[in-house]
Amino acid sequence: MPEKRVTGIGGFFFKAKDPDALKAWYKQHLGIPVDQYGWTFWWKDADGNDCSTQWSPFKEDTTYYEPSTKPFMQNFRVENLDRLLAQLKNEGVTLVGEPESFEYGKFAWILDLEGNKIELWEPFDSAFL
């Protein structure tokens, strides 16, 4: 069985003219319980572990997606970020910036073939409980 690199979608982030108005619209019309960050959708993986996916509108002028010029960014959950980064580096994948660690997980960023910025996240889900 091949090694599992990505374990799920950690989030979908996109630019919006008015993120607050858009979140209010989704709350009113779709019943999404938004907060200041958007919406955290909780689910269980195949092993029954708690997992989350984040839906977040960002302000139009955000620089968080740079160097990509796209109006969105994907976040993928990964199992072992350090090992994956070493593999990706050996495969010639472009890394963006330096990895960062927070109480809720470790993050790193790469560019795909078309220049889309992808956020890689090794979560520490217990921080959300």
Side-chain angles (χ1 to χ4, degrees), residues 13-102:
F13 312 133
F14 58 97
K15 294 181 180 183
K17 290 180 183 175
D18 187 341
D20 291 333
L22 190 61
K23 287 184 287 188
W25 185 94
Y26 276 86
K27 182 176 185 175
Q28 177 184 351
H29 297 289
L30 298 179
I32 293 175
V34 296
D35 61 21
Q36 67 180 347
Y37 302 108
W39 177 39
T40 303
F41 175 76
W42 290 96
W43 51 279
K44 302 264 186 196
D45 67 13
D47 298 322
N49 298 310
D50 289 327
C51 298
S52 64
T53 299
Q54 186 68 33
W55 173 89
S56 294
F58 280 65
K59 288 187 177 181
E60 243 178 354
D61 61 355
T62 185
T63 58
Y64 192 59
Y65 307 164
E66 290 180 357
S68 175
T69 58
K70 303 291 177 75
F72 62 86
M73 184 176 72
Q74 302 172 84
N75 170 295
F76 291 119
R77 298 170 62 93
V78 301
E79 210 163 68
N80 184 322
L81 183 61
D82 295 332
R83 182 178 63 219
L84 179 57
L85 289 177
Q87 292 168 329
L88 293 173
K89 192 173 185 178
N90 286 338
E91 295 167 3
V93 173
T94 301
L95 304 178
V96 177
E98 294 295 321
E100 295 182 26
S101 189
F102 301 92

